[in-house]
Amino acid sequence: KSGASFAPIVVKNGKAYVSGPRAKKFKLAQQISETGRIISVSNKIDLDTGMFVVRTSSPDGSMFVEIQHTGVFVPISAITSDNNVMISAQGVARATPVSIIATDSDTAVISGVADGDIIILTNVEDGMKVRIDNRY
């Protein structure tokens, strides 16, 4: 139920410029790729760029910041347009509303499902009969 997602960041001269919503995700000492950590996150907008400054101990280049989350990790494709996932309930697909905690390029962290719920990863509709293949 806990793990990490990875947010891209571009570092130049020990700094990265990020939007306000992204700046809120970054914390002191967070790991950046395998090479560094976040040293500070500005709480004020840089007037030259209109972005927030994140200072790092990383070398220049494209990196990923590791962000820890608690929730259920699912492929983004498992979430419907109205923020449901399909759960197998006694052989029937049931739409279950979830809250999205975080996303990256292909994974979402959600809450709203219980331990032991079987999330259906294929395209099914609410009320369809389903058979779960436990071979995989």
Side-chain angles (χ1 to χ4, degrees):
K1 280 230 170 193
S2 64
S5 65
F6 298 91
I9 190 170
V10 177
V11 176
K12 185 170 183 179
N13 297 325
K15 295 180 188 175
Y17 295 92
V18 300
S19 66
R22 291 192 67 220
K24 291 177 184 177
K25 295 180 181 181
F26 301 148
K27 306 284 185 244
L28 185 66
Q30 269 180 303
Q31 184 72 37
I32 299 178
S33 295
E34 297 176 5
T35 58
R37 296 202 176 272
I38 291 178
I39 296 171
S40 68
V41 180
S42 173
N43 60 1
K44 294 182 181 176
I45 292 176
D46 177 77
L47 297 178
D48 293 330
T49 63
M51 306 289 271
F52 290 81
V53 178
V54 176
R55 295 189 184 276
T56 76
S57 64
S58 297
D60 290 357
S62 296
M63 310 283 173
F64 289 93
V65 178
E66 184 176 307
I67 302 171
Q68 293 294 320
H69 301 285
T70 300
V72 176
F73 287 69
V74 298
I76 286 180
S77 60
I79 302 171
T80 66
S81 60
D82 50 352
N83 287 349
N84 289 321
V85 295
M86 301 306 283
I87 301 290
S88 174
Q90 296 148 356
V92 177
R94 292 290 176 221
T96 302
V98 294
S99 295
I100 299 172
I101 298 167
T103 61
D104 62 18
S105 61
D106 58 351
T107 305
V109 183
I110 62 171
S111 63
V113 294
D115 282 344
D117 280 350
I118 299 172
I119 299 171
I120 301 169
L121 301 180
T122 57
N123 189 15
V124 297
E125 293 183 23
D126 190 47
M128 287 179 74
K129 289 186 178 185
V130 294
R131 183 174 54 97
I132 303 302
D133 187 346
N134 292 323
R135 291 182 290 173
Y136 302 102

